[in-house]
PDB file of all heavy atoms in Angstrom:
ATOM      1  N   ASN J  29     -80.797  62.074  29.354  1.00 97.00           N
ATOM      2  CA  ASN J  29     -80.636  63.515  29.142  1.00 97.00           C
ATOM      3  C   ASN J  29     -82.010  64.257  29.051  1.00 97.00           C
ATOM      4  O   ASN J  29     -82.057  65.372  28.616  1.00 97.00           O
ATOM      5  CB  ASN J  29     -79.848  63.775  27.887  1.00 97.00           C
ATOM      6  CG  ASN J  29     -80.525  63.242  26.623  1.00 97.00           C
ATOM      7  OD1 ASN J  29     -81.438  62.415  26.694  1.00 97.00           O
ATOM      8  ND2 ASN J  29     -80.058  63.701  25.465  1.00 97.00           N
ATOM      9  N   PHE J  30     -83.072  63.584  29.469  1.00 98.00           N
ATOM     10  CA  PHE J  30     -84.402  64.189  29.351  1.00 98.00           C
ATOM     11  C   PHE J  30     -84.654  65.291  30.366  1.00 98.00           C
ATOM     12  O   PHE J  30     -84.058  65.335  31.428  1.00 98.00           O
ATOM     13  CB  PHE J  30     -85.490  63.121  29.528  1.00 98.00           C
ATOM     14  CG  PHE J  30     -85.777  62.343  28.265  1.00 98.00           C
ATOM     15  CD1 PHE J  30     -86.709  61.314  28.311  1.00 98.00           C
ATOM     16  CD2 PHE J  30     -85.163  62.601  27.049  1.00 98.00           C
ATOM     17  CE1 PHE J  30     -87.028  60.564  27.207  1.00 98.00           C
ATOM     18  CE2 PHE J  30     -85.462  61.857  25.918  1.00 98.00           C
ATOM     19  CZ  PHE J  30     -86.395  60.814  25.990  1.00 98.00           C
ATOM     20  N   THR J  31     -85.587  66.186  29.998  1.00 98.00           N
ATOM     21  CA  THR J  31     -86.190  67.133  30.904  1.00 98.00           C
ATOM     22  C   THR J  31     -87.569  66.622  31.255  1.00 98.00           C
ATOM     23  O   THR J  31     -88.347  66.296  30.375  1.00 98.00           O
ATOM     24  CB  THR J  31     -86.293  68.506  30.250  1.00 98.00           C
ATOM     25  OG1 THR J  31     -84.982  69.002  29.953  1.00 98.00           O
ATOM     26  CG2 THR J  31     -86.995  69.516  31.147  1.00 98.00           C
ATOM     27  N   VAL J  32     -87.846  66.531  32.558  1.00 98.00           N
ATOM     28  CA  VAL J  32     -89.108  65.921  33.011  1.00 98.00           C
ATOM     29  C   VAL J  32     -89.788  66.843  34.011  1.00 98.00           C
ATOM     30  O   VAL J  32     -89.134  67.436  34.904  1.00 98.00           O
ATOM     31  CB  VAL J  32     -88.812  64.535  33.706  1.00 98.00           C
ATOM     32  CG1 VAL J  32     -90.155  63.910  34.146  1.00 98.00           C
ATOM     33  CG2 VAL J  32     -88.058  63.622  32.765  1.00 98.00           C
ATOM     34  N   TYR J  33     -91.099  66.991  33.877  1.00 98.00           N
ATOM     35  CA  TYR J  33     -91.909  67.695  34.888  1.00 98.00           C
ATOM     36  C   TYR J  33     -92.576  66.648  35.770  1.00 98.00           C
ATOM     37  O   TYR J  33     -93.095  65.646  35.276  1.00 98.00           O
ATOM     38  CB  TYR J  33     -93.052  68.511  34.293  1.00 98.00           C
ATOM     39  CG  TYR J  33     -92.723  69.616  33.329  1.00 98.00           C
ATOM     40  CD1 TYR J  33     -93.798  70.161  32.574  1.00 98.00           C
ATOM     41  CD2 TYR J  33     -91.441  70.075  33.079  1.00 98.00           C
ATOM     42  CE1 TYR J  33     -93.573  71.186  31.686  1.00 98.00           C
ATOM     43  CE2 TYR J  33     -91.214  71.095  32.177  1.00 98.00           C
ATOM     44  CZ  TYR J  33     -92.271  71.643  31.476  1.00 98.00           C
ATOM     45  OH  TYR J  33     -92.077  72.623  30.532  1.00 98.00           O
ATOM     46  N   ASP J  34     -92.618  66.903  37.082  1.00 98.00           N
ATOM     47  CA  ASP J  34     -93.408  66.156  38.027  1.00 98.00           C
ATOM     48  C   ASP J  34     -94.388  67.142  38.636  1.00 98.00           C
ATOM     49  O   ASP J  34     -94.042  67.919  39.522  1.00 98.00           O
ATOM     50  CB  ASP J  34     -92.503  65.490  39.087  1.00 98.00           C
ATOM     51  CG  ASP J  34     -93.291  64.748  40.174  1.00 98.00           C
ATOM     52  OD1 ASP J  34     -94.548  64.644  40.087  1.00 98.00           O
ATOM     53  OD2 ASP J  34     -92.635  64.245  41.084  1.00 98.00           O
ATOM     54  N   ILE J  35     -95.623  67.148  38.123  1.00 98.00           N
ATOM     55  CA  ILE J  35     -96.628  68.114  38.526  1.00 98.00           C
ATOM     56  C   ILE J  35     -97.470  67.531  39.660  1.00 98.00           C
ATOM     57  O   ILE J  35     -98.028  66.460  39.569  1.00 98.00           O
ATOM     58  CB  ILE J  35     -97.528  68.511  37.327  1.00 98.00           C
ATOM     59  CG1 ILE J  35     -96.680  69.083  36.194  1.00 98.00           C
ATOM     60  CG2 ILE J  35     -98.637  69.442  37.791  1.00 98.00           C
ATOM     61  CD1 ILE J  35     -97.434  69.343  34.898  1.00 98.00           C
ATOM     62  N   GLY J  36     -97.527  68.299  40.779  1.00 96.00           N
ATOM     63  CA  GLY J  36     -98.178  67.786  41.969  1.00 96.00           C
ATOM     64  C   GLY J  36     -97.235  66.805  42.666  1.00 96.00           C
ATOM     65  O   GLY J  36     -97.617  65.694  42.978  1.00 96.00           O
ATOM     66  N   ALA J  37     -96.029  67.231  42.895  1.00 97.00           N
ATOM     67  CA  ALA J  37     -94.922  66.344  43.320  1.00 97.00           C
ATOM     68  C   ALA J  37     -95.060  65.754  44.687  1.00 97.00           C
ATOM     69  O   ALA J  37     -94.378  64.793  45.001  1.00 97.00           O
ATOM     70  CB  ALA J  37     -93.567  67.072  43.152  1.00 97.00           C
ATOM     71  N   GLY J  38     -95.873  66.337  45.566  1.00 96.00           N
ATOM     72  CA  GLY J  38     -96.085  65.741  46.884  1.00 96.00           C
ATOM     73  C   GLY J  38     -94.803  65.687  47.692  1.00 96.00           C
ATOM     74  O   GLY J  38     -94.151  66.668  47.952  1.00 96.00           O
ATOM     75  N   THR J  39     -94.413  64.462  48.091  1.00 96.00           N
ATOM     76  CA  THR J  39     -93.192  64.266  48.867  1.00 96.00           C
ATOM     77  C   THR J  39     -91.943  64.292  47.987  1.00 96.00           C
ATOM     78  O   THR J  39     -90.827  64.303  48.501  1.00 96.00           O
ATOM     79  CB  THR J  39     -93.197  62.908  49.577  1.00 96.00           C
ATOM     80  OG1 THR J  39     -93.285  61.877  48.606  1.00 96.00           O
ATOM     81  CG2 THR J  39     -94.377  62.784  50.547  1.00 96.00           C
ATOM     82  N   GLY J  40     -92.156  64.193  46.652  1.00 96.00           N
ATOM     83  CA  GLY J  40     -91.010  64.131  45.730  1.00 96.00           C
ATOM     84  C   GLY J  40     -90.529  62.725  45.456  1.00 96.00           C
ATOM     85  O   GLY J  40     -89.522  62.549  44.809  1.00 96.00           O
ATOM     86  N   SER J  41     -91.306  61.703  45.870  1.00 96.00           N
ATOM     87  CA  SER J  41     -90.851  60.321  45.675  1.00 96.00           C
ATOM     88  C   SER J  41     -90.693  59.973  44.192  1.00 96.00           C
ATOM     89  O   SER J  41     -89.702  59.318  43.806  1.00 96.00           O
ATOM     90  CB  SER J  41     -91.792  59.349  46.364  1.00 96.00           C
ATOM     91  OG  SER J  41     -93.062  59.347  45.790  1.00 96.00           O
ATOM     92  N   VAL J  42     -91.615  60.436  43.373  1.00 97.00           N
ATOM     93  CA  VAL J  42     -91.500  60.181  41.932  1.00 97.00           C
ATOM     94  C   VAL J  42     -90.331  60.949  41.342  1.00 97.00           C
ATOM     95  O   VAL J  42     -89.562  60.417  40.561  1.00 97.00           O
ATOM     96  CB  VAL J  42     -92.809  60.495  41.192  1.00 97.00           C
ATOM     97  CG1 VAL J  42     -92.673  60.348  39.676  1.00 97.00           C
ATOM     98  CG2 VAL J  42     -93.955  59.571  41.683  1.00 97.00           C
ATOM     99  N   SER J  43     -90.184  62.212  41.740  1.00 97.00           N
ATOM    100  CA  SER J  43     -89.046  63.027  41.287  1.00 97.00           C
ATOM    101  C   SER J  43     -87.724  62.381  41.633  1.00 97.00           C
ATOM    102  O   SER J  43     -86.779  62.360  40.809  1.00 97.00           O
ATOM    103  CB  SER J  43     -89.088  64.421  41.900  1.00 97.00           C
ATOM    104  OG  SER J  43     -90.164  65.176  41.390  1.00 97.00           O
ATOM    105  N   ILE J  44     -87.617  61.838  42.841  1.00 96.00           N
ATOM    106  CA  ILE J  44     -86.393  61.178  43.265  1.00 96.00           C
ATOM    107  C   ILE J  44     -86.063  59.979  42.362  1.00 96.00           C
ATOM    108  O   ILE J  44     -84.966  59.822  41.848  1.00 96.00           O
ATOM    109  CB  ILE J  44     -86.463  60.741  44.743  1.00 96.00           C
ATOM    110  CG1 ILE J  44     -86.622  61.930  45.697  1.00 96.00           C
ATOM    111  CG2 ILE J  44     -85.265  59.881  45.130  1.00 96.00           C
ATOM    112  CD1 ILE J  44     -85.445  62.846  45.797  1.00 96.00           C
ATOM    113  N   GLU J  45     -87.092  59.132  42.163  1.00 96.00           N
ATOM    114  CA  GLU J  45     -86.891  57.939  41.318  1.00 96.00           C
ATOM    115  C   GLU J  45     -86.475  58.370  39.899  1.00 96.00           C
ATOM    116  O   GLU J  45     -85.591  57.782  39.309  1.00 96.00           O
ATOM    117  CB  GLU J  45     -88.183  57.118  41.272  1.00 96.00           C
ATOM    118  CG  GLU J  45     -88.555  56.507  42.593  1.00 96.00           C
ATOM    119  CD  GLU J  45     -88.096  55.051  42.792  1.00 96.00           C
ATOM    120  OE1 GLU J  45     -87.195  54.612  42.055  1.00 96.00           O
ATOM    121  OE2 GLU J  45     -88.689  54.384  43.691  1.00 96.00           O
ATOM    122  N   ILE J  46     -87.139  59.354  39.344  1.00 97.00           N
ATOM    123  CA  ILE J  46     -86.820  59.851  37.991  1.00 97.00           C
ATOM    124  C   ILE J  46     -85.401  60.372  37.967  1.00 97.00           C
ATOM    125  O   ILE J  46     -84.660  60.085  37.028  1.00 97.00           O
ATOM    126  CB  ILE J  46     -87.844  60.924  37.541  1.00 97.00           C
ATOM    127  CG1 ILE J  46     -89.211  60.302  37.284  1.00 97.00           C
ATOM    128  CG2 ILE J  46     -87.342  61.651  36.290  1.00 97.00           C
ATOM    129  CD1 ILE J  46     -90.297  61.345  37.072  1.00 97.00           C
ATOM    130  N   SER J  47     -85.030  61.141  38.976  1.00 96.00           N
ATOM    131  CA  SER J  47     -83.693  61.769  38.936  1.00 96.00           C
ATOM    132  C   SER J  47     -82.549  60.797  38.877  1.00 96.00           C
ATOM    133  O   SER J  47     -81.515  61.090  38.307  1.00 96.00           O
ATOM    134  CB  SER J  47     -83.523  62.669  40.183  1.00 96.00           C
ATOM    135  OG  SER J  47     -83.358  61.909  41.371  1.00 96.00           O
ATOM    136  N   PHE J  48     -82.744  59.602  39.429  1.00 94.00           N
ATOM    137  CA  PHE J  48     -81.697  58.609  39.331  1.00 94.00           C
ATOM    138  C   PHE J  48     -81.526  58.105  37.909  1.00 94.00           C
ATOM    139  O   PHE J  48     -80.438  57.608  37.556  1.00 94.00           O
ATOM    140  CB  PHE J  48     -82.018  57.391  40.257  1.00 94.00           C
ATOM    141  CG  PHE J  48     -81.545  57.589  41.675  1.00 94.00           C
ATOM    142  CD1 PHE J  48     -82.452  57.968  42.651  1.00 94.00           C
ATOM    143  CD2 PHE J  48     -80.212  57.404  42.011  1.00 94.00           C
ATOM    144  CE1 PHE J  48     -82.059  58.148  43.957  1.00 94.00           C
ATOM    145  CE2 PHE J  48     -79.805  57.594  43.331  1.00 94.00           C
ATOM    146  CZ  PHE J  48     -80.715  57.983  44.302  1.00 94.00           C
ATOM    147  N   GLN J  49     -82.524  58.247  37.075  1.00 94.00           N
ATOM    148  CA  GLN J  49     -82.430  57.796  35.672  1.00 94.00           C
ATOM    149  C   GLN J  49     -81.836  58.885  34.780  1.00 94.00           C
ATOM    150  O   GLN J  49     -81.457  58.614  33.649  1.00 94.00           O
ATOM    151  CB  GLN J  49     -83.836  57.463  35.141  1.00 94.00           C
ATOM    152  CG  GLN J  49     -84.594  56.457  35.999  1.00 94.00           C
ATOM    153  CD  GLN J  49     -83.930  55.120  36.075  1.00 94.00           C
ATOM    154  OE1 GLN J  49     -83.530  54.573  35.065  1.00 94.00           O
ATOM    155  NE2 GLN J  49     -83.846  54.562  37.291  1.00 94.00           N
ATOM    156  N   LEU J  50     -81.781  60.119  35.242  1.00 94.00           N
ATOM    157  CA  LEU J  50     -81.361  61.275  34.445  1.00 94.00           C
ATOM    158  C   LEU J  50     -79.953  61.715  34.859  1.00 94.00           C
ATOM    159  O   LEU J  50     -79.776  62.686  35.547  1.00 94.00           O
ATOM    160  CB  LEU J  50     -82.329  62.436  34.608  1.00 94.00           C
ATOM    161  CG  LEU J  50     -83.806  62.165  34.341  1.00 94.00           C
ATOM    162  CD1 LEU J  50     -84.628  63.411  34.551  1.00 94.00           C
ATOM    163  CD2 LEU J  50     -84.015  61.600  32.928  1.00 94.00           C
ATOM    164  N   THR J  51     -78.954  61.024  34.324  1.00 90.00           N
ATOM    165  CA  THR J  51     -77.583  61.407  34.663  1.00 90.00           C
ATOM    166  C   THR J  51     -77.181  62.745  34.063  1.00 90.00           C
ATOM    167  O   THR J  51     -76.325  63.421  34.586  1.00 90.00           O
ATOM    168  CB  THR J  51     -76.602  60.314  34.206  1.00 90.00           C
ATOM    169  OG1 THR J  51     -76.774  60.108  32.802  1.00 90.00           O
ATOM    170  CG2 THR J  51     -76.812  59.012  34.940  1.00 90.00           C
ATOM    171  N   GLN J  52     -77.816  63.139  32.957  1.00 95.00           N
ATOM    172  CA  GLN J  52     -77.525  64.430  32.340  1.00 95.00           C
ATOM    173  C   GLN J  52     -78.762  65.305  32.239  1.00 95.00           C
ATOM    174  O   GLN J  52     -78.709  66.418  31.689  1.00 95.00           O
ATOM    175  CB  GLN J  52     -76.962  64.200  30.929  1.00 95.00           C
ATOM    176  CG  GLN J  52     -75.684  63.420  30.919  1.00 95.00           C
ATOM    177  CD  GLN J  52     -75.352  62.939  29.517  1.00 95.00           C
ATOM    178  OE1 GLN J  52     -75.802  63.482  28.529  1.00 95.00           O
ATOM    179  NE2 GLN J  52     -74.508  61.936  29.431  1.00 95.00           N
ATOM    180  N   GLY J  53     -79.930  64.842  32.710  1.00 97.00           N
ATOM    181  CA  GLY J  53     -81.148  65.594  32.568  1.00 97.00           C
ATOM    182  C   GLY J  53     -81.612  66.253  33.831  1.00 97.00           C
ATOM    183  O   GLY J  53     -80.857  66.247  34.857  1.00 97.00           O
ATOM    184  N   LYS J  54     -82.776  66.858  33.798  1.00 97.00           N
ATOM    185  CA  LYS J  54     -83.309  67.589  34.963  1.00 97.00           C
ATOM    186  C   LYS J  54     -84.773  67.215  35.210  1.00 97.00           C
ATOM    187  O   LYS J  54     -85.538  66.941  34.286  1.00 97.00           O
ATOM    188  CB  LYS J  54     -83.246  69.102  34.708  1.00 97.00           C
ATOM    189  CG  LYS J  54     -81.881  69.642  34.668  1.00 97.00           C
ATOM    190  CD  LYS J  54     -81.788  70.913  35.520  1.00 97.00           C
ATOM    191  CE  LYS J  54     -80.415  71.519  35.480  1.00 97.00           C
ATOM    192  NZ  LYS J  54     -79.548  71.031  36.497  1.00 97.00           N
ATOM    193  N   VAL J  55     -85.126  67.221  36.496  1.00 98.00           N
ATOM    194  CA  VAL J  55     -86.517  67.047  36.912  1.00 98.00           C
ATOM    195  C   VAL J  55     -86.969  68.387  37.502  1.00 98.00           C
ATOM    196  O   VAL J  55     -86.274  68.987  38.319  1.00 98.00           O
ATOM    197  CB  VAL J  55     -86.678  65.967  37.987  1.00 98.00           C
ATOM    198  CG1 VAL J  55     -88.144  65.762  38.363  1.00 98.00           C
ATOM    199  CG2 VAL J  55     -86.052  64.671  37.542  1.00 98.00           C
ATOM    200  N   TYR J  56     -88.168  68.803  37.120  1.00 98.00           N
ATOM    201  CA  TYR J  56     -88.802  69.978  37.709  1.00 98.00           C
ATOM    202  C   TYR J  56     -89.968  69.510  38.548  1.00 98.00           C
ATOM    203  O   TYR J  56     -90.962  69.033  38.010  1.00 98.00           O
ATOM    204  CB  TYR J  56     -89.238  70.975  36.619  1.00 98.00           C
ATOM    205  CG  TYR J  56     -88.092  71.616  35.934  1.00 98.00           C
ATOM    206  CD1 TYR J  56     -87.507  71.014  34.809  1.00 98.00           C
ATOM    207  CD2 TYR J  56     -87.516  72.811  36.399  1.00 98.00           C
ATOM    208  CE1 TYR J  56     -86.431  71.577  34.157  1.00 98.00           C
ATOM    209  CE2 TYR J  56     -86.439  73.385  35.793  1.00 98.00           C
ATOM    210  CZ  TYR J  56     -85.903  72.742  34.666  1.00 98.00           C
ATOM    211  OH  TYR J  56     -84.801  73.314  34.050  1.00 98.00           O
TER     212      TYR J  56
END
């Protein structure tokens, strides 16, 4: 359920990986 920032996200590869862990949370 975390809220996570990915600053300097580039292709979004880290955001994608994080998003799979956040079933109730959000990635920015």
Side-chain angles (χ1 to χ4, degrees):
N29 63 343
F30 277 177
T31 297
V32 181
Y33 301 169
D34 177 2
I35 300 172
T39 62
S41 64
V42 174
S43 290
I44 297 292
E45 295 263 19
I46 290 170
S47 73
F48 275 101
Q49 306 297 314
L50 306 180
T51 56
Q52 300 167 20
K54 292 227 181 270
V55 182
Y56 292 88

